Amino acid sequence: MERIPRSEELPSPESPSIPVELHYSADAETSRVWNTVRRYPWFVENGYRVGLPQSIKDHLENSMEVSNEEVRAAVEAEYRDHAYSEKARELEKAWEAESSDFIEKLKTLGRPLPQAYKIFLSRYGTGGSYGYPDVIQLNLNKTSNRGPLYTAFHEMVHLTIQDLIEKYDIPHWTKERLVDLTMNKFFPDKEQLQRDPEHAEQIIEIFEKGFPNIEKIISEVSEI
């Protein structure tokens, strides 16, 4: 089943927030697992622990090839619609309560925001990922101890600056540091940094001087 909020559930155009559309289905999970399988070497190389159906994980850990048919069978064997629908209701309530304040913070970056966010609920892959300009993949089994909504906020910061990341050719862990620093500004009581990129000290110095002018920050970081 795929759950998309009805139009009457969405905020009015005058709302300071942005609507979210929550999706989940066995087909979406099959795509999520297959994309994770294709990038599995990269995830391992970069120290990510990804969620996968056990049979698929066993194949990969033993350097065995995985077929599309095996992925679909593994997903369908584990898929339970109610596990997603319960989390969807929780996330909708949390979004309704907390999103307006977050969106106002996001606007301080001076970047365009989407009309709506499409959030795909999953049990696989990394804790969260994104597809520019408005898609988020949220792993319900691997969100941070700050909860799934915080993970979704993190991915929304990614989406907000992704065009600048590409424009200035920013490497992966530098990008993650910039997002972490931004989230720490938004939520100073929940500070967190992932692994250090190259030139970590200089990045922090540039960020602190330039925030919230995120394009100026990214431009200067690209020149380190």
Side-chain angles (χ1 to χ4, degrees), residues 3-223:
R3 169 73 159 73
I4 302 176
R6 300 185 304 274
S7 59
E8 61 265 31
E9 295 177 67
L10 301 178
S12 69
E14 293 77 22
S15 170
S17 187
I18 292 175
V20 290
E21 303 167 2
L22 301 182
H23 304 260
Y24 50 90
S25 68
D27 284 345
E29 286 289 58
T30 299
S31 296
R32 175 70 164 167
V33 172
W34 184 244
N35 288 333
T36 303
V37 167
R38 289 192 302 174
R39 299 186 64 200
Y40 190 73
W42 185 89
F43 288 128
V44 171
E45 180 182 346
N46 283 275
Y48 284 99
R49 299 175 64 184
V50 295
L52 288 167
Q54 190 58 52
S55 61
I56 302 302
K57 183 178 290 187
D58 291 343
H59 273 62
L60 294 173
E61 289 178 351
N62 289 286
S63 301
M64 299 168 62
E65 290 190 6
V66 178
S67 69
N68 236 328
E69 292 74 19
E70 288 171 319
V71 168
R72 174 164 288 281
V75 168
E76 290 181 348
E78 295 186 356
Y79 187 82
R80 301 291 183 272
D81 188 81
H82 67 85
Y84 298 80
S85 61
E86 291 173 4
K87 293 294 185 180
R89 284 192 291 271
E90 292 174 11
L91 191 59
E92 284 175 335
K93 289 180 181 178
W95 179 259
E96 182 178 346
E98 301 181 43
S99 63
S100 293
D101 180 61
F102 171 73
I103 295 300
E104 288 305 309
K105 292 174 179 175
L106 203 57
K107 287 177 180 177
T108 65
L109 301 180
R111 305 298 302 160
L113 302 179
Q115 296 280 325
Y117 290 103
K118 303 176 183 68
I119 301 180
F120 287 80
L121 305 183
S122 179
R123 296 176 58 206
Y124 307 112
T126 58
S129 59
Y130 62 95
Y132 187 77
D134 57 7
V135 174
I136 293 167
Q137 298 277 356
L138 191 61
N139 185 336
L140 299 171
N141 290 341
K142 293 179 71 68
T143 57
S144 74
N145 56 12
R146 297 159 183 81
L149 185 62
Y150 185 89
T151 302
F153 287 165
H154 178 99
E155 301 307 323
M156 289 170 189
V157 174
H158 271 296
L159 290 172
T160 304
I161 67 171
Q162 179 59 27
D163 61 328
L164 300 176
I165 296 300
E166 294 178 4
K167 177 180 178 179
Y168 293 101
D169 196 24
I170 300 298
H172 177 76
W173 286 111
T174 300
K175 172 186 70 174
E176 291 294 340
R177 178 54 53 93
L178 291 168
V179 172
D180 287 343
L181 291 171
T182 302
M183 287 292 287
N184 290 348
K185 284 289 189 184
F186 292 168
F187 301 97
D189 59 329
K190 299 180 180 180
E191 287 194 2
Q192 173 180 289
L193 295 175
Q194 300 175 72
R195 88 182 204 189
D196 284 340
E198 286 190 89
H199 313 295
E201 297 282 338
Q202 289 174 271
I203 292 169
I204 291 174
E205 183 178 345
I206 291 169
F207 184 89
E208 290 297 332
K209 287 181 179 178
F211 189 82
N213 188 338
I214 200 68
E215 180 160 14
K216 182 175 185 291
I217 291 168
I218 293 173
S219 172
E220 291 184 10
V221 166
S222 73
E223 296 173 359

